[in-house]
Amino acid sequence: MVDLLSGIQSTSAALNAERTRMDVISENIANAQSTRGTDGKPYQRKVVVFETALQQALDGTGQVATLKSARIQKESRPALMVYQPGHPHADARGFVAMPNISIHEEMADFIAASRTFEANLAIVRNAKAMALQTLAIGKK
Amino acid sequence: MIDALFNSPNYLAAKKSLDAVALRSEAIAANIANLETPGYKRVDLSPSFRAELERACASGDPNQLASLRPALAADPSAVPTGRDGNTVNLEKEMMELNSNMLAHSLETQLVSGALLKLKLAITGKS
């Protein structure tokens, strides 16, 4: 099938992936102080891993890589031990295991994600303008 | 008889360029989509297409022009900008996107112009 909006599959997959990434970043920030999760351990920082998938063009003109998925993985960063003897989750020596999350790192990541999102939106606008021009062929 | 009207080298060349521009927009979309994918190599129109188009235009042979097939290939000249091996540069892609957009306007106007001239010849009214 000829798509009127060329390249829109890879762009929509990318928009989806960036949205997932922003969701994960906000989850990380929200849980920056969570010392107990449902598994009884402190919250573990999550990262999004991007992977490409090759999309074979039907007319055999070549291969276009579309962004397949954004996998969410837990990072193996060790917990931050903070001395807080009065805390209910403190161990015998008075240390509390805190999630090792840096707000600055998350914010920088968030800005990168939203800029990439915008770049993909520019592609959508462009594809739309091109489709309208194509539809106007033969008209004055 | 009507085939001859659509076989002028200029019209065919504009059509093929339009195909190439549409394919190129797909390549740019894929490049921007993979802006942050580690190890991704940017794709673009294969450099041989331009040379083939020029050769076919110079020969003026409609069959040679009609047999042209634009194809995409990994861009060998692109160098990784970071340590993850990704060769996409956002600024460059946005420039390419805009120039591709202008090329698309040009080609659609050329094709439209050819069709409108044909209409004028048939109906006598513009």
Side-chain angles (χ1 to χ4, degrees):
Chain A
M1 197 195 86
V2 177
D3 46 350
L4 197 52
L5 296 173
S6 50
I8 211 73
Q9 283 97 346
S10 31
T11 303
S12 66
L15 286 173
N16 217 331
E18 294 302 333
R19 165 69 64 197
T20 312
R21 187 168 163 211
M22 287 194 262
D23 283 351
V24 166
I25 292 169
S26 55
E27 194 183 327
N28 284 341
I29 293 178
N31 286 294
Q33 305 288 329
S34 304
T35 50
R36 278 288 180 276
T38 44
D39 55 354
K41 291 183 191 139
Y43 177 81
Q44 196 76 43
R45 179 173 187 262
K46 287 177 187 161
V47 283
V48 171
V49 185
F50 291 153
E51 281 174 354
T52 53
L54 283 177
Q55 174 195 329
Q56 183 83 44
L58 285 177
D59 48 355
T61 47
Q63 291 173 324
V64 175
T66 173
L67 191 62
K68 184 178 78 179
S69 63
R71 267 189 304 130
I72 302 174
Q73 284 189 332
K74 282 193 177 175
E75 211 185 45
S76 57
R77 204 180 274 197
L80 203 64
M81 301 308 282
V82 180
Y83 185 64
Q84 263 184 13
H87 197 284
H89 297 149
D91 62 8
R93 291 179 301 139
F95 283 96
V96 182
M98 289 288 218
N100 201 344
I101 287 169
S102 152
I103 298 289
H104 309 98
E105 189 187 342
E106 301 298 334
M107 287 312 288
D109 234 21
F110 190 80
I111 292 167
S114 58
R115 289 289 172 267
T116 313
F117 195 84
E118 280 171 28
N120 279 292
L121 281 182
I123 296 278
V124 177
R125 274 197 298 275
N126 213 287
K128 192 180 150 197
M130 276 173 68
L132 287 175
Q133 276 179 359
T134 309
L135 289 173
I137 286 179
K139 286 186 190 149
K140 265 172 289 183
Chain B
M1 162 60 189
I2 192 87
D3 284 351
L5 298 173
F6 295 105
N7 275 342
S8 86
N10 283 340
Y11 179 70
L12 282 176
K15 241 173 73 174
K16 283 293 162 190
S17 306
L18 195 55
D19 282 353
V21 164
L23 197 61
R24 189 139 193 267
S25 78
E26 215 161 295
I28 296 170
N31 289 342
I32 301 247
N34 287 289
L35 195 59
E36 296 184 303
T37 312
Y40 176 79
K41 301 277 176 275
R42 84 177 286 268
V43 289
D44 207 336
L45 213 55
S46 66
S48 63
F49 176 74
R50 181 183 285 267
E52 279 169 26
L53 184 65
E54 272 172 17
R55 223 177 304 129
C57 283
S59 76
D61 179 13
N63 292 329
Q64 201 179 334
L65 269 170
S67 67
L68 281 178
R69 288 273 174 279
L72 294 181
D75 185 359
S77 64
V79 284
T81 43
R83 279 188 298 178
D84 63 355
N86 189 317
T87 61
V88 182
N89 179 335
L90 178 61
E91 289 75 22
K92 186 171 179 282
E93 294 302 329
M94 295 312 273
M95 290 299 290
E96 297 282 351
L97 181 69
N98 282 314
S99 69
N100 198 50
M101 176 80 190
L102 283 176
H104 188 267
S105 301
L106 173 71
E107 305 300 345
T108 46
Q109 278 178 37
L110 282 175
V111 172
S112 276
L115 292 174
L116 287 173
K117 262 188 274 174
L118 200 57
K119 200 172 163 191
L120 175 66
I122 295 169
T123 62
K125 288 178 281 197
S126 61

